[in-house]
Amino acid sequence: MRIGILAIQGNFEAHAKAFAEAGAEACEARTQSDLDRADALVLPGGESTTMLKLLREEGLWEPLRRACAAKPVFATCAGAILLACEVSHPAQESLGLVDIGVERNAYGRQVHSTVARLATGEGAELEAVFIRAPVIRRLGAGVRVLARYQGDPVLVEQGHFLVATFHPELTPDRTLQKMFLEKAAHVAA
Amino acid sequence: MFLSDQFRVKVGLAEMLKGGVIMDVTNAEQAVIAEKAGACAVMALVKVPSDIRKEGGVARMSPVSKIREIQKSVSVPVMAKARIGHFMEARVLEALEVDFIDESEVLTPADEENHIWKHDFKVPFVCGARNLGEALRRIAEGAAMIRTKGEAGSGNIVEAVRHMRTIVKEMRAIQSYSVDELTAESKKHGAPLELMLYIHEHGKLPVPNFSAGGVATPADAALVMHLGAETVFVGSGIFKSPDPAAFAKAVVKAVTYYKDPVKVLEASEELPDGMPGLDIRQMAESDLMATRGW
């Protein structure tokens, strides 16, 4: 399984390392051919405005939308903002592929960033690092919530998309990477 | 200390800025130009370094009203500079909720002996360094990001290159030593043994390492990325250039595609020459900013 990590800006290296540890082949994706060669994609955290501008400038916006519509995608933080249907605070363009509405920097500035322990389905605890994180304010009918923090959905799933508002690549736990790889293998089959 | 949630969250934001460009801005109008060009963060300061150099006198933290105006005008992280050792400027910036504080040699130092004890703050700090020992001392004090000092406001990349090469070379050397030689190395570099052991094992700093001080063109930015920088700070290089919006956009593109010379060429196409530069060898010792702090 070849995981293409969108490497326009942000912490794509940490994602590549995390997926390598989870047993996948990870490579940085900066061009249309990089996107085409990948079996599944990761949209990492970083600054969504910066990514948005470069994707537009470099003619990658439509190729990325097509690739994301066709392949399994794991999106975190800024990646979730790129995939959402609506973005607020402030409003900005997005790919509109996952039926959620997100508010950027919804917890406030960096001093409000935090590490939380989330309860997941099977009684397991998941460590979640939130950095100037967005909040999912609207959930579409086809979106399933896998974990919440302070009542808000922070890990959701829709078809071949897995979306986290926090940073699973910044913890040593590889549960979510493995879960995504299983999901991607299932989609491929 | 380094495994605490607070420290991890600080380094987390530094991680998010990787592969981007952080631009010096003095007001909201410049901040908007920077954000529109694709800056991943902006740095509020009272004057750009080349003006600080020209006008002399004491350079302090940016006026609060300017920082607030910048915070209101952009959605990317807003950083601001505090004087070396001036923990009260830093406390004011923390209360203002800036996203990162740069304890910076570009401003006039408030303490010639001590830097700020940064572990006590919720807000993350970035500090300048010329060599590995200096970088590790700042990390020991709680810096969540290191940037090479370069020579700010000079428009001359030579010092940024020197400092990045020095840090990378010294880390390579530490990796080649055996563990029982590290105490002596720790003494030589004036850096904590615990952090020397980290370098020995990982061959990199425990926090992101960015580059600053002298970047004036897209090729300069791509150069320091090749030498080991994970992100680039650009000060006077944008707003002292003949066309700030065009230079800002070009540097952003050159940093993302630094491995591809054709893309760096595309970024440089149609740009005029960069800001006027200074020959470091002809500067008086007292005019150097990089030697402030230790």
Side-chain angles (χ1 to χ4, degrees):
Chain A
M1 176 80 56
R2 191 182 168 98
I3 311 289
I5 321 250
L6 187 70
I8 296 296
Q9 190 273 324
N11 73 334
F12 44 86
E13 268 181 22
H15 275 285
K17 190 167 161 279
F19 272 100
E21 284 169 13
E25 183 196 349
C27 36
E28 294 176 2
R30 287 190 180 81
T31 62
Q32 181 167 357
S33 66
D34 295 340
L35 293 172
D36 291 344
R37 275 201 301 269
D39 301 311
L41 295 169
V42 170
L43 308 187
E47 276 307 310
S48 59
T49 51
T50 302
M51 294 185 208
L52 200 67
K53 283 187 175 97
L54 275 160
L55 288 166
R56 276 282 182 209
E57 286 287 318
E58 297 301 311
L60 284 171
W61 189 248
E62 286 308 321
L64 180 67
R65 190 202 304 270
R66 281 196 298 275
C68 288
K71 297 173 184 185
V73 184
F74 185 20
T76 62
C77 198
I81 296 169
L82 290 181
L83 281 183
C85 278
E86 311 97 46
V87 179
S88 61
H89 188 238
Q92 69 183 33
E93 199 181 7
S94 55
L95 293 167
L97 291 168
V98 176
D99 194 9
I100 52 174
V102 298
E103 179 185 338
R104 293 181 60 206
N105 303 328
Y107 298 96
R109 297 180 184 279
Q110 172 63 11
V111 291
H112 304 289
S113 292
T114 189
V115 182
R117 273 88 198 169
L118 310 177
T120 57
E122 294 84 44
E125 205 176 60
L126 192 64
E127 195 178 49
V129 182
F130 291 91
I131 308 282
R132 285 172 44 98
V135 168
I136 298 175
R137 294 290 185 207
R138 185 190 66 78
L139 279 173
V143 182
R144 196 160 76 95
V145 178
L146 304 179
R148 289 180 184 267
Y149 171 59
Q150 294 178 342
D152 295 312
V154 293
L155 180 67
V156 302
E157 191 175 38
Q158 174 199 300
H160 63 281
F161 297 101
L162 179 63
V163 175
T165 61
F166 55 94
H167 293 280
E169 75 286 0
L170 293 184
T171 61
D173 185 345
R174 296 291 160 251
T175 310
L176 290 184
Q177 283 81 9
K178 286 179 185 151
M179 181 175 141
F180 177 67
L181 289 174
E182 270 173 38
K183 185 181 170 70
H186 184 73
V187 171
Chain B
M1 211 175 256
F2 297 104
L3 296 173
S4 72
D5 284 356
Q6 181 171 287
F7 195 71
R8 289 169 61 204
V9 164
K10 290 176 178 180
V11 174
L13 179 57
E15 293 281 340
M16 295 312 138
L17 301 170
K18 282 186 176 175
V21 181
I22 301 162
M23 299 183 195
D24 277 358
V25 299
T26 58
N27 55 42
E29 188 195 343
Q30 290 183 349
V32 169
I33 292 173
E35 186 180 55
K36 278 202 176 132
C40 67
V42 294
M43 170 76 73
L45 77 173
V46 59
K47 284 175 250 181
V48 294
S50 73
D51 285 339
I52 291 177
R53 208 176 266 295
K54 221 177 290 164
E55 291 167 30
V58 174
R60 312 181 184 94
M61 176 187 104
S62 193
V64 169
S65 60
K66 287 285 174 196
I67 299 172
R68 280 198 196 280
E69 163 192 321
I70 291 166
Q71 283 176 318
K72 275 192 206 124
S73 67
V74 294
S75 65
V76 295
V78 175
M79 305 183 167
K81 286 187 193 289
R83 283 177 269 180
I84 290 175
H86 206 317
F87 56 82
M88 278 318 298
E89 277 189 351
R91 285 293 179 199
V92 170
L93 291 174
E94 182 179 51
L96 252 176
E97 298 196 357
V98 301
D99 295 292
F100 236 103
I101 296 175
D102 185 359
E103 186 184 15
S104 177
E105 71 282 359
V106 168
L107 305 184
T108 313
D111 190 329
E112 294 188 332
E113 204 165 343
N114 308 296
H115 285 71
I116 298 170
W117 183 251
K118 294 165 271 285
H119 285 295
D120 283 351
F121 288 74
K122 266 199 93 171
V123 63
F125 279 76
V126 52
C127 289
R130 285 162 297 170
N131 52 51
L132 182 61
E134 193 173 8
L136 295 182
R137 288 190 289 278
R138 297 295 84 77
I139 295 167
E141 292 159 356
M145 181 203 297
I146 291 297
R147 55 170 177 76
T148 54
K149 284 180 171 173
E151 189 54 41
S154 69
N156 188 340
I157 198 67
V158 67
E159 293 302 301
V161 167
R162 190 191 320 281
H163 300 158
M164 188 54 77
R165 278 206 188 267
T166 301
I167 291 176
V168 171
K169 198 159 46 178
E170 288 174 336
M171 290 197 290
R172 269 204 309 267
I174 297 300
Q175 278 194 292
S176 73
Y177 290 115
S178 67
V179 178
D180 56 6
E181 292 167 324
L182 291 182
T183 315
E185 282 304 305
S186 157
K187 185 180 169 200
K188 193 174 104 192
H189 287 276
L193 179 60
E194 182 198 0
L195 292 174
M196 291 305 248
L197 285 163
Y198 183 93
I199 304 293
H200 183 65
E201 189 182 339
H202 301 278
K204 59 191 271 308
L205 297 177
V207 304
N209 185 17
F210 294 5
S211 181
V215 173
T217 68
D220 285 348
L223 175 69
V224 290
M225 289 296 285
H226 270 284
L227 291 175
E230 295 174 297
T231 283
V232 177
F233 282 87
V234 190
S236 321
I238 303 283
F239 289 101
K240 284 291 157 185
S241 75
D243 187 347
F247 266 79
K249 226 165 98 176
V251 173
V252 169
K253 176 165 173 162
V255 166
T256 292
Y257 293 101
Y258 74 94
K259 288 179 190 159
D260 182 349
V262 175
K263 290 277 193 185
V264 180
L265 165 68
E266 277 174 31
S268 315
E269 207 90 57
E270 288 168 32
L271 283 188
D273 191 18
M275 65 177 282
L278 299 170
D279 186 343
I280 311 285
R281 289 171 307 178
Q282 290 176 0
M283 288 168 68
E285 182 67 31
S286 59
D287 287 338
L288 296 177
M289 290 174 172
T291 50
R292 296 166 167 182
W294 57 279

